[in-house]
Amino acid sequence: MFKVQQTIGSVVCCKCGVPMPPNAANMCVNCLRSEVDITEGLQKSIQIFYCPECGCYLQPPKTWIKAQWESRDLLSFCIKRLKNLNKVRLKNAEFVWTEPHSKRIKVKLTVQAEVLNGAVLEQSYPVEYTVRDNLCESCSRFQANPDQWVASVQLRQHVSHRRSFFYLEQLILRHDAASRAVRIKQVHQGIDFFFGNKSHADSFV
Ligand SMILES: [Zn+2]
Ligand SMILES: [Zn+2]
């Protein structure tokens, strides 16, 4: 007669048949891994807002956070924006390279979660952030009323010939240095540049 050899307290996996300690699914860890998706219900794509004027990202509802492309600050901002991530244990997060002009940020997350009977599963998955340009409050307030300049740069020339002045003008145009000026006014013997914030004026000088 055929006799099944069995260890006490052990069952066989319902999928592959290896002996294993019993759990609710009667499935071994390897098979669980292929059956269970621990990233289910986690956010995989999200839209974020970026102010192109001052280089800040919106942390809802109202905070704007300054962060460089692919910086640590941007990474932690990206992680904080994800809902439901507290349901799993975050093991690692890293940027996946994207073209800065693509307006896409990709982050690869590795997470762990405990499933039946303490079996720990680990999985990696990508999250895609769509970056939408949106002026932050101070930049948009400023654009609505550009005459509210807070800093001005006055360029003057006190000699009669205009040559060096012309050279400077070409330099400004070439480097697009005045693009952040809200108003440019030609005055006697020179030009006035008005800026909406002092850092714009400082970088111009
Ligand atoms: Zn199995
Ligand atoms: Zn801004």
Side-chain angles (χ1 to χ4, degrees), residues 13-18 20 26-32:
C13 171
C14 68
K15 239 189 133 189
C16 69
V18 301
M20 52 164 274
N26 277 340
M27 207 183 276
C28 74
V29 174
N30 278 337
C31 290
L32 275 175

Side-chain angles (χ1 to χ4, degrees), residues 38-166:
I38 60 170
T39 72
E40 205 183 306
L42 300 179
Q43 230 171 343
K44 311 260 168 54
S45 67
I46 181 171
Q47 182 173 277
I48 55 174
F49 292 100
Y50 170 74
C51 176
E53 274 301 301
C54 62
C56 290
Y57 293 86
L58 177 63
Q59 177 78 68
K62 275 189 156 191
T63 318
W64 288 84
I65 292 165
K66 203 173 185 85
Q68 299 285 321
W69 188 255
E70 298 208 328
S71 64
R72 281 210 76 77
D73 290 343
L74 187 57
L75 191 59
S76 65
F77 164 83
C78 284
I79 293 165
K80 274 188 217 145
R81 295 291 293 112
L82 297 173
K83 286 177 204 127
N84 297 336
L85 203 57
N86 55 347
K87 290 182 177 169
V88 292
R89 205 175 313 134
L90 181 63
K91 296 300 285 182
N92 190 47
E94 60 191 45
F95 286 112
V96 177
W97 189 85
T98 50
E99 182 80 45
H101 296 289
S102 67
K103 295 278 173 196
R104 293 270 188 286
I105 296 172
K106 282 184 187 153
V107 176
K108 184 182 153 202
L109 296 180
T110 304
V111 296
Q112 283 186 345
E114 227 169 75
V115 291
L116 310 158
N117 268 13
V120 176
L121 297 190
E122 186 176 291
Q123 232 177 303
S124 293
Y125 67 104
V127 179
E128 187 172 283
Y129 298 79
T130 307
V131 184
R132 293 269 313 266
D133 283 350
N134 198 305
L135 288 180
C136 73
E137 264 167 68
S138 62
C139 290
S140 66
R141 194 183 314 128
F142 177 73
Q143 288 221 334
N145 189 3
D147 279 345
Q148 261 183 345
W149 58 276
V150 297
S152 76
V153 176
Q154 302 185 318
L155 210 59
R156 292 293 180 273
Q157 157 102 332
H158 293 289
V159 282
S160 52
H161 64 87
R162 310 270 293 178
R163 205 202 207 133
S164 62
F165 205 83
F166 175 77

Side-chain angles (χ1 to χ4, degrees), residues 4-13 17-23 26:
V4 180
Q5 211 183 353
Q6 211 182 31
T7 333
I8 295 157
S10 171
V11 295
V12 290
C13 171
V18 301
M20 52 164 274
N23 64 33
N26 277 340

